[in-house]
Amino acid sequence: MTDAVPPLPRRPSDRVTTAWALAARGGDPHAVGRLVRALHRDVLRYVCFLGADPQNADDLAQETFLRALDGLRRFQGRSSARTWLLSIARRTVIDSMRYASSRPRVSGTPDWETAAERAQPHGLPGFDDGVVLGELLNTLPDDRREAFVLTQMLGFSYAEAATVCACPVGTVRSRVARARTSLARALAGAELAAAAV
């Protein structure tokens, strides 16, 4: 008998999550739980790829949901609940970065990067690929990384990404195209370097 891995639950459609948000606005506590469970992974991935400290990502996701629940009475459903929530996540990350930049950074070790790398789990399937992708994404300018992550990794349409980024759709398309070009160049360079070794 083989141990079958259960399939990931199918992500609810934007129409369904938006209906849950509207029901939550009306006071349905079950809708609140469904909304949070359905969109938590997207929010967490988004704040991580916006450049937030991975150790701080859970806190930022939680802060995003707290802000969203606090502002739920103002949600009208003009955009999808996912788009609305990721717009809040974006502002949460920006606020966090502003706050962090105004505070001194303290590290208990002289080489904090090595200490952080050692604390991460290694040997998991896909771990190295995820590290490489994260490193490549970090080489992109913030605006291109954000547009790429929203459209290519989280599955947003260009129009939804434009709403989250507060810019025109054409700007999102341009940022994604430039991000793809930069990533392709970086991958080609890495492959050449690996072949030379």
Side-chain angles (χ1 to χ4, degrees):
M1 183 169 130
T2 61
D3 292 331
V5 176
L8 290 173
R10 189 169 167 252
R11 186 176 78 194
S13 70
D14 283 345
R15 190 177 74 236
V16 169
T17 56
T18 301
W20 288 339
L22 291 170
R25 182 187 75 180
D28 182 350
H30 298 295
V32 172
R34 288 184 194 116
L35 179 68
V36 171
R37 282 190 301 278
L39 297 177
H40 183 266
R41 182 176 174 174
D42 285 347
V43 169
L44 190 59
R45 289 178 69 192
Y46 185 58
V47 299
C48 282
F49 283 108
L50 278 180
D53 174 13
Q55 302 299 326
N56 198 22
D58 284 327
D59 292 339
L60 289 170
Q62 183 177 0
E63 176 65 22
T64 296
F65 281 104
L66 289 173
R67 289 181 181 191
L69 293 175
D70 186 48
L72 197 55
R73 66 189 174 282
R74 293 184 302 275
F75 179 67
Q76 299 296 314
R78 281 176 262 174
S79 65
S80 72
R82 195 162 73 118
T83 300
W84 173 73
L85 196 56
L86 291 186
S87 295
I88 295 170
R90 182 175 194 258
R91 288 189 300 273
T92 302
V93 170
I94 290 168
D95 290 347
S96 173
M97 289 177 172
R98 284 182 183 147
Y99 179 79
S101 69
S102 68
R103 302 285 180 250
R105 295 181 186 232
V106 179
S107 176
T109 64
D111 186 10
W112 63 270
E113 288 177 326
T114 302
E117 287 175 9
R118 287 184 187 146
Q120 298 300 317
H122 294 277
L124 299 175
F127 176 81
D128 293 333
D129 293 337
V131 169
V132 170
L133 177 61
E135 289 174 354
L136 289 175
L137 286 172
N138 284 336
T139 65
L140 296 174
D142 292 345
D143 56 348
R144 291 181 192 172
R145 180 176 61 235
E146 180 181 29
F148 183 85
V149 167
L150 284 170
T151 59
Q152 307 305 300
M153 298 178 79
L154 295 178
F156 271 57
S157 70
Y158 286 103
E160 291 171 323
T163 300
V164 172
C165 297
C167 68
V169 174
T171 301
V172 171
R173 289 184 191 281
S174 174
R175 289 175 181 174
V176 170
R178 289 179 180 172
R180 284 182 180 156
T181 301
S182 297
L183 290 172
R185 268 193 221 125
L187 280 172
E191 288 173 359
L192 285 173
V197 174

